[in-house]
Amino acid sequence: MSKSKRLLDLMMTVNRKRKFNVRELADEFGVSTRTILRDLQELGELGVPLYSEVGPHGGYQVLNERILPPIAFTEEEAVAIFFASHALRHYEYLPFKEASVTALRKFYHYMPGDVRDRIDEMKHRIDFVTPARQAEFPYLSILLEAAIDQKVLLIGYESRGERRLRPVQPVGIYASNGLWYCPAYCFLRGGIRVFRCDRIDAVEEEASGYEPLDLRRVHLGNRHEYTAEGQLRGQSEGAEAQNSRNKVRLYAELTAEGVQACEAELWSASLLHIRADGTGWLEGEAPMQDLRFFARFFTGLGNEATVHEPPELVEELKTMLEEMLRKYS
């Protein structure tokens, strides 16, 4: 076995074993312990995070940040991966900000010179613009880890000028128009709600008294189904009935331009219906407490939308338009 192949196999072996001693590696690879020690030293110089312990029960251990084995990319794949990561530079806050920056530097550094030249030219020809925001999102990593590990968090959240402590179990996080959002099961409301991450001013990772729900099947793509159908374990009949009473039927006709505006809104995915001619409508259940949000949205659409239901939303629209008229009269 050549040295280069042995080093590659050794890298994958130590990543798999996590903890090992020199003798067992020497026996596995059929070389001397001295050779294995030299190979381990070279792996350390290449960046494999090895930690050694002395004594009768000592040995080597790979730290949490393991090194992945080499992967071969075509030139087009390498360019695509570079720009996928490069596009994230517009976000000041990411759950993996530092890791993405260092990965991008490594990726660029080890590319052939002609590929780097091509990327340098392409940087000025393509971009993924994100609106600049003054908001801060310091808890993205904690929210994401809680969603993966099925943990309940106690968050400090401000909404409509009121701050409350809310026990939540995150489903995930997503970015839209420069802002980060966290859909999470809210134990106070008995259902999934979407929280703006810049309005979360505190997070406690221990929320005593609340058992985590089994949300392994719930993710960003299907959360609307579970919210609408009340299929979450632990949601009582009383909570479902309360949720039903707090919702109203929303129906609004849309022009083709109105449909395009709604397609840009993540919340509309489960409500939007499109006809063959490009026009469409919004139809479904909406929380009563969100009527003012919908009123602002439909006001922005102007004549591209006509709201038919609920009557409470129509009245809210009239009130908002009257306030605007008084302001400019």
Side-chain angles (χ1 to χ4, degrees), residues 22 24 31 42 57 61 79 103 116 125 128 143 185 197 241 265 299:
V22 174
E24 66 181 85
V31 295
E42 288 195 39
H57 302 290
Q61 185 172 347
V79 172
R116 288 203 300 268
R125 312 291 181 184
F128 306 87
L143 295 170
Y185 184 88
C197 296
E265 302 292 331
T299 300

Side-chain angles (χ1 to χ4, degrees), residues 18-22 37 40 49-55 57-63:
R18 302 286 289 158
K19 192 170 184 179
F20 52 89
N21 60 51
V22 174
L37 285 171
L40 290 175
L50 297 172
Y51 170 74
S52 62
E53 294 180 350
V54 298
H57 302 290
Y60 283 84
Q61 185 172 347
V62 182
L63 301 181

